[in-house]
């Protein structure tokens, strides 16, 4: 079975080691290509399209994506196993892009990692058919799911997609996942008011078994990638939220009985 899984192919654009912000312990993050959303603040715009493309930064042009097999990725992951043990609960995290939009590759990679005793996590928008999500859930230890807004119109304005599917899927994932953590990117002009964060926290606290919510402050890291891809960065005029404001929003979340963490 593992031999068959090892031959499943997917498209990624990066493997990042030694992350401490994308799941418990030290993580190896595999960034997959392709995402259904087009968030205006996205710091990985090269992740959005599934197609092969090039990016030019600092006068250097390079291919964004590469096609790999599960076996090739697992070989890279195995190099980090010692760091997982030392951190107590490290492992791999599938990010993107959106791993749910490469379900065969994601399922095969997660299954193989679990069979080798490696902890698994995904970072997801939750925007996919629930049948696809259910294929992956048995092989995932931690789901880190974005709830960006509860207002469908505003969500669509800033991401190009309505959030009704996301909110409905969150209810099912909360009941069926081993662990679900809600994460909210805090983006000025989009969702950074106390009222908006309160509405997200209220929804998160209503989800079965959810105890934790992370607030991720907006930043401009990655903005130069837009020019490198020949695209305009619409959020260039937006300043990141202050530490003081983030702390105020964190206290709002706590009022709904959730643990709150600033940053991933």
């Amino acid at each position: 079975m593992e031999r068959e899984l090892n031959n499943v192919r997917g498209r990624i654009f990066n493997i990042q080691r030694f992350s401490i912000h994308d799941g418990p312990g030290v993580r190896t993050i595999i960034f997959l290509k392709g995402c259904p959303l087009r968030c205006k603040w996205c710091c990985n715009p090269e992740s959005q399209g599934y197609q092969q493309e090039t990016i030019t930064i600092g006068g250097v042009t390079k291919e964004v994506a590469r096609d790999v097999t599960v076996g090739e990725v697992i070989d890279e992951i195995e190099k980090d196993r010692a760091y997982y043990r030392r951190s107590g609960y490290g492992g791999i995290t599938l990010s993107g892009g959106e791993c749910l939009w490469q379900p065969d590759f994601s399922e095969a990679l997660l299954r193989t990692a679990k069979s080798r005793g490696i902890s698994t996590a995904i970072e997801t928008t939750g925007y996919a058919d629930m049948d696809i999500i259910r294929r992956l859930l048995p092989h995932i230890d931690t789901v880190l799911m974005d709830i960006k807004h509860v207002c469908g119109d505003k969500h669509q304005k800033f991401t190009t997609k309505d959030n009704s599917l996301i909110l409905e899927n969150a209810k099912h994932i909360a009941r069926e996942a081993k662990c679900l953590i809600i994460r909210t990117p805090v983006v000025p002009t989009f969702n950074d008011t106390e009222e908006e964060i309160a509405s997200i926290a209220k929804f998160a606290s209503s989800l079965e078994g959810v105890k934790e919510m992370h607030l991720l402050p907006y930043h401009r890291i990655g903005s130069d990638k837009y020019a490198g891809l020949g695209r305009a960065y619409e959020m260039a005029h937006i300043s990141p939220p202050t530490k003081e404001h983030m702390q105020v929003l964190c206290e709002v979340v706590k009022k709904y009985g959730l643990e709150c963490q600033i940053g991933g």
Side-chain angles (χ1 to χ4, degrees):
M1 174 61 74
E2 183 167 320
R3 179 178 296 179
E4 293 178 10
L5 295 176
N6 281 344
N7 290 328
V8 178
R9 300 185 67 83
R11 182 166 292 175
I12 68 174
F13 67 95
N14 192 23
I15 296 179
Q16 178 183 320
R17 291 187 158 85
F18 314 125
S19 173
I20 57 172
H21 301 295
D22 301 271
V26 173
R27 316 295 296 186
T28 304
I29 311 173
I30 298 92
F31 291 90
L32 282 70
K33 281 278 280 177
C35 183
L37 274 59
R38 295 293 182 269
C39 301
K40 291 185 177 183
W41 61 88
C42 180
C43 61
N44 290 320
E46 74 275 30
S47 74
Q48 294 175 346
Y50 180 77
Q51 74 279 6
Q52 291 278 2
E53 56 190 332
T54 60
I55 188 170
T56 303
I57 298 179
V60 176
T61 299
K62 64 178 182 179
E63 293 286 336
V64 170
R66 59 187 175 108
D67 293 335
V68 295
T69 65
V70 166
E72 290 169 339
V73 176
I74 287 293
D75 286 345
E76 291 296 306
I77 291 167
E78 286 287 359
K79 297 175 184 177
D80 295 338
R81 188 185 282 270
Y83 299 101
Y84 306 154
R85 288 196 298 267
R86 291 174 192 169
S87 69
Y89 192 70
I92 69 165
T93 300
L94 304 192
S95 188
E98 174 53 71
C99 67
L100 300 179
W101 281 57
Q102 292 191 51
D104 293 341
F105 178 68
S106 296
E107 181 184 8
L109 184 51
L110 291 165
R111 286 182 64 180
T112 304
K114 287 297 294 178
S115 71
R116 297 194 180 196
I118 297 172
S119 166
T120 58
I122 67 168
E123 297 178 315
T124 182
T125 65
Y127 194 91
D129 190 280
M130 193 60 209
D131 288 342
I132 289 176
I133 298 173
R134 287 193 173 104
R135 284 175 52 188
L136 273 60
L137 282 180
H139 317 295
I140 302 170
D141 295 314
T142 304
V143 177
L144 303 164
M145 182 177 178
D146 277 12
I147 301 294
K148 299 174 173 68
H149 215 291
V150 295
C151 172
D153 289 341
K154 200 164 189 183
H155 192 279
Q156 183 152 14
K157 180 180 178 181
F158 277 78
T159 73
T160 73
K161 297 293 184 182
D162 177 76
N163 64 352
S164 56
L165 177 63
I166 294 170
L167 298 181
E168 184 61 28
N169 283 347
K171 299 173 186 177
H172 295 292
I173 294 170
R175 288 192 292 267
E176 300 175 31
K178 297 181 182 75
C179 174
L180 172 61
I181 296 173
I182 299 301
R183 306 205 306 180
T184 300
V186 177
V187 183
T189 73
F190 172 56
N191 67 354
D192 70 326
T193 67
E194 293 181 44
E195 292 76 16
E196 287 167 311
I197 294 300
S199 64
I200 298 171
K202 181 179 180 180
F203 174 78
S205 67
S206 74
L207 298 173
E208 184 176 328
V210 170
K211 301 176 181 179
E212 195 171 344
M213 181 170 164
H214 296 175
L215 300 179
L216 313 179
Y218 163 77
H219 56 73
R220 296 195 185 102
I221 298 171
S223 59
D224 58 333
K225 296 179 181 179
Y226 286 82
L229 293 167
R231 294 167 52 184
Y233 183 56
E234 296 184 34
M235 306 291 286
H237 62 292
I238 301 298
S239 297
T242 65
K243 292 181 180 180
E244 292 77 13
H245 186 58
M246 291 299 301
Q247 192 58 53
V248 168
L249 297 181
C250 190
E251 294 303 318
V252 170
V253 170
K254 291 178 181 178
K255 291 178 181 178
Y256 289 85
L258 297 168
E259 299 174 27
C260 183
Q261 176 177 312
I262 297 174

